[in-house]
Amino acid sequence: MSHRTQKAYYDRRERADAYQVRNQVLLLDKKSRRGRCMKLNRPWTGLLEVIKRLSELVYSIKYCGPPGSYSRIKRRVVHFNQLKAIDDGAHDKGQG
């Protein structure tokens, strides 16, 4: 099977919570860092903003946090299952 066919089958089963443009979200980062075990890794990173909804399941996001803290994500296209909505009250308290 080709990549496109597998993607079509996967997307067919998924049901997404719709994010709106300008919603703030966190990104799932499963990379393991050298010298850190996955158990101690923080899986949700960044303060990102949805800039465009490309399809029902795919979004374009950009970094919108403080400069220099996680700015390596300029813009990225991601599947909705790698995003998590930020509750405004929790973020203000520093509990992203």
Side-chain angles (χ1 to χ4, degrees):
M1 286 177 151
S2 72
H3 171 72
R4 290 187 189 121
T5 306
Q6 290 175 356
K7 181 181 179 346
Y9 283 137
Y10 181 81
D11 288 348
R12 199 177 300 165
R13 290 189 318 263
E14 292 298 313
R15 297 290 177 252
D17 296 330
Y19 296 109
Q20 303 299 321
V21 174
R22 295 191 168 214
N23 278 8
Q24 292 185 342
V25 294
L26 297 173
L27 178 66
L28 182 62
D29 185 11
K30 292 186 178 181
K31 292 181 186 175
S32 61
R33 307 293 192 269
R34 182 175 290 184
R36 300 268 316 200
C37 64
M38 285 301 292
K39 181 178 179 180
L40 300 176
N41 217 10
R42 287 186 173 177
W44 298 101
T45 57
L47 176 58
L48 302 143
E49 182 177 314
V50 175
I51 54 175
K52 189 174 184 182
R53 184 176 180 182
L54 302 175
S55 74
E56 187 177 324
L57 303 172
V58 180
Y59 294 89
S60 178
I61 59 172
K62 72 172 183 174
Y63 179 76
C64 65
S69 63
Y70 200 71
S71 59
R72 63 189 162 116
I73 297 177
K74 302 289 186 205
R75 291 174 189 249
R76 184 182 269 180
V77 175
V78 295
H79 197 270
F80 87 97
N81 63 1
Q82 294 180 345
L83 298 175
K84 180 178 181 180
I86 293 179
D87 187 19
D88 290 334
H91 185 265
D92 292 340
K93 296 176 188 173
Q95 299 174 354

